[in-house]
Amino acid sequence: MKLSNLILTALLTKYSLSFIIDKDSINNIQFTNIDSRKDNPHYIHNNKRSDSNITTTTPSKQEEENNNNFNEIECPMDNIIIEKTSDLSILDHCNTINNDLIVTQEFLDNVIDLRSLHTIKGHLIVEDCNNLIKIRAPSLQSIEGDFILTSLTSLVMVELPNLTTLRTIDWKILPILNQIEINPKIIVKEKIVISDTSISNLEGFNQIKQLETFNINNNRFLETIKVSLTQVSTQCTIHANSKDLIIELPYLTKVENMTIRDAQSVWLPNLHTVNTNLELIENGFTDLDLTTLESVGGTLGIIDNKYVSNLKFNNLTDIQGGLMIDNNPRLDSIDTFQNLKTIGGAIHFDGSFKDTDFPNLKLVKGSAYIKTTSDEMDCNKWIKPQDGRSIIRGGKIKCSSPKKHNMISLDEDGKIIDMQENDIDNEKANIEVMESTANFIKWSPITILLLLCSIIW
C-alpha cells in the first residue's frame, strides 16, 4: 500500500472520520467530524438521499477521436486478477483484456482506476471489496461479457463516460452507491439488474430498446424510472423501491412477464401484449390506464392497491390465465373490461365493489369466486344465466354478499346441475334459535323441576 493510503487509513482509524470524494479527483478529500455526518451529501439521514443520480456524459470531440484511432494492444494474460492497486499497473502497457478482469476481496484500497483500458472481452467483476469508494474507467468502451458489482458496501461512485457496449449490468448490494456517470449512447444487450443501491433516478438508457431482463428492486431512494425500452423478452420486475416511485416506460409494447409493486405512478401508454403474467400489487396509484393492452397470455392480477379507483382495460380481449382482482378497497365497480371475450383460467374477485360488468365475456374456462362487502351487489347475473347456460365452465360459481351466499355447480357445457341459495339474515336467525334450544336442552330434569316449584311457590 502506498504511503498516502497508509496515512489516510491511520487518520480514519484514529479519529473515526468520514469523508467525501470529489468526483473529479480522488486526491481532493474533505474530512468531516463524525458528528457532522449529516452535512455530508453521501450520508443517508432520516431515510432521505440528496444528489443521488445516474447522469449522462457525452464524450468530448478529442475523446471520440482517440476512440476512433484506437490501436488494440492485448494484455499478456487472458484473465487479470487484481488484489492490490499495484496490480493495475499492467494496464499501463495494454488496453485490451482477452477474457475477464476480476477484482477480489483482497483489494483494500479506495479507488479502482482502469486508466487507458479500452476493451474487456470477458466479464468485469468486482465483489466484496469493503473499502472501495470509487470505480473509474475513463477510456473503457466495451465489455463483451457481464459487468458485475456485488457486496461493495462503501462504493459511492461509478464513472463510465465512454462505455457504449456491454452484455449485462448486474449490480447488487451497493447500499450507498448514488453517483453513476454513463455515456448516453450506452447499449446493454441482455440484462439490467440494479438492486439495493441509493440512486434516486434511473434515466439515460435511451439507446436500449430490447432486453431479456429488466429488474430494479430494493433501491429505497429511487423515485424515477424513465427508460426507452420497447420489449422485454423474459422478465420485467420493479418492486420494493421508494413508495414515491414514478415509472415511465413510454415505448414499451411487449413483455414476457411483468410485476410492478410499490409504485406511486405507472405510465405504459403503448403496452399491447403481455405473454404470460401481469401483476400489479401494493401500489399507491389512484388511476391505471392500460387502454392499449390487448392480450395477457397468463394471469392478470390487480391486488392490494389501496388507492386505485379507476382502471382502464378497454381494449383487452383475451386473458389466457386467470383474472384476480383482490382487496382494492376504493374500487367501486369492476366494469373496465368491456371488450374482454375469454378468460382461460378462473375468476377471483374479492373486495367492496358494488357491481361487475362484462358485456362481451363469452367463456371462462375456470371457476368463479366473487365476494364483496357491498349490499348492492347482484349475484344473479352470475348464477342465473338467461338461457340456462353459464359462461363459466370450470365447475363452480360462488357469489357472496352480506345478505346472500350463492353457489351453483355446472357441467362441462355450462349447464346448471345444482344450485344453493342461502339468505344470510335467515341463517343468523336460525342459528340463534338453535343455540337457545341447545342451551335449554342442556338443563337437567332436576334443574327444570326446581324452577317449576319455585314458580308455583
Side-chain angles (χ1 to χ4, degrees), residues 35-96:
D35 293 331
S36 60
R37 288 178 301 172
K38 60 186 178 181
D39 296 324
N40 182 337
H42 301 305
Y43 174 64
I44 302 171
H45 181 64
N46 292 335
N47 291 326
K48 294 182 179 180
R49 159 69 65 196
S50 62
D51 193 29
S52 53
N53 297 288
I54 294 181
T55 58
T56 57
T57 302
T58 302
S60 65
K61 290 184 178 180
Q62 183 62 49
E63 287 174 324
E64 289 183 349
E65 289 179 5
N66 292 338
N67 291 329
N68 292 333
N69 297 326
F70 167 67
N71 182 25
E72 181 177 292
I73 304 173
E74 294 184 352
C75 297
M77 296 173 289
D78 286 344
N79 292 315
I80 293 182
I81 309 297
I82 305 297
E83 296 181 344
K84 53 187 180 298
T85 297
S86 60
D87 294 338
L88 291 166
S89 62
I90 192 173
L91 302 179
D92 292 335
H93 309 289
C94 60
N95 55 30
T96 301

Side-chain angles (χ1 to χ4, degrees), residues 375-436:
D375 292 335
E376 300 180 36
M377 176 65 190
D378 181 11
C379 288
N380 287 336
K381 62 178 64 178
W382 292 99
I383 64 170
K384 295 181 180 179
Q386 293 181 353
D387 59 357
R389 188 176 179 183
S390 174
I391 61 173
I392 307 297
R393 304 297 169 84
K396 289 184 178 180
I397 302 174
K398 293 182 180 180
C399 186
S400 300
S401 68
K403 292 186 176 180
K404 287 190 176 182
H405 174 78
N406 303 275
M407 184 173 71
I408 63 174
S409 299
L410 309 158
D411 65 14
E412 293 179 355
D413 296 323
K415 294 181 180 179
I416 299 174
I417 56 179
D418 185 37
M419 177 181 291
Q420 298 177 17
E421 182 174 347
N422 299 319
D423 188 304
I424 303 299
D425 291 336
N426 288 339
E427 282 187 355
K428 289 181 179 179
N430 291 335
I431 290 172
E432 290 175 357
V433 170
M434 291 175 64
E435 288 178 347
S436 298

Side-chain angles (χ1 to χ4, degrees), residues 151-162:
S151 297
L152 306 174
T153 56
S154 298
L155 185 66
V156 173
M157 184 180 300
V158 175
E159 292 183 1
L160 308 164
N162 286 291

Side-chain angles (χ1 to χ4, degrees), residues 11 17 70 106 204 213 242 307 330 347 390 415 428 447-448:
L11 284 169
L17 298 174
F70 167 67
E106 284 77 19
T213 300
S242 167
Y307 305 105
R330 297 192 183 184
I347 285 176
S390 174
K415 294 181 180 179
K428 289 181 179 179
T447 304
I448 295 173

Side-chain angles (χ1 to χ4, degrees), residues 232-237 255-259 274-279:
V232 181
S233 62
T234 300
Q235 178 69 48
C236 181
T237 301
V255 298
E256 179 67 24
N257 198 355
M258 189 172 206
T259 299
V274 178
N275 285 338
T276 53
N277 300 328
L278 174 58
E279 298 176 329

Side-chain angles (χ1 to χ4, degrees), residues 308-364:
V308 66
S309 59
N310 184 26
L311 297 174
K312 292 183 179 179
F313 288 85
N314 302 344
N315 291 302
L316 182 61
T317 60
D318 180 39
I319 299 174
Q320 295 183 25
L323 175 58
M324 185 173 187
I325 302 176
D326 190 353
N327 193 28
N328 304 283
R330 297 192 183 184
L331 195 62
D332 289 337
S333 180
I334 302 175
D335 58 0
T336 184
F337 301 95
Q338 294 295 299
N339 289 299
L340 184 62
K341 294 179 173 61
T342 59
I343 297 175
I347 285 176
H348 182 104
F349 301 154
D350 196 338
S352 56
F353 49 88
K354 299 175 183 177
D355 191 21
T356 61
D357 186 29
F358 292 80
N360 289 297
L361 188 60
K362 305 301 182 184
L363 176 64
V364 178

